[in-house]
Amino acid sequence: QLEAQGYSPEAYFTLPTSCWRENYYQPLAQRFASFLERHEQSASAQAIVDAEQAEMKLYEQHHDLYSYGVYIAQRR
């Protein structure tokens, strides 16, 4: 896909688990209570929190099976 758009792939890496855990999931989880409070404990807000918690649980169970890949490319 990159080459078809005129780019040359230069590097690729996957995000390590620390990026997911320390930089994404932990800060997100720390804000669940205030998020629910701001939204008056609404069912919609709780559904969002529940979905995020389910994703976090899946990640903890299966983090060795997926991650985000980052491509670095240069325009030809």
Side-chain angles (χ1 to χ4, degrees), residues 1-12 70-76:
Q1 290 292 336
L2 288 170
E3 291 166 336
Q5 298 301 314
Y7 289 88
S8 174
E10 301 294 323
Y12 171 83
V70 177
Y71 292 85
I72 298 172
Q74 183 174 4
R75 191 154 210 25
R76 289 190 233 152

Side-chain angles (χ1 to χ4, degrees), residues 9-60:
E10 301 294 323
Y12 171 83
F13 62 92
T14 57
L15 292 179
T17 56
S18 61
C19 285
W20 287 84
R21 287 181 177 137
E22 288 101 41
N23 299 315
Y24 181 63
Y25 288 134
Q26 287 177 2
L28 183 65
Q30 290 170 352
R31 293 191 294 270
F32 287 158
S34 63
F35 173 79
L36 290 169
E37 186 176 313
R38 276 194 318 276
H39 295 279
E40 301 174 343
Q41 310 295 325
S42 72
S44 296
Q46 186 62 57
I48 291 169
V49 169
D50 291 346
E52 293 298 326
Q53 289 174 324
E55 178 185 322
M56 293 163 75
K57 183 177 179 181
L58 279 174
Y59 183 76
E60 286 304 318

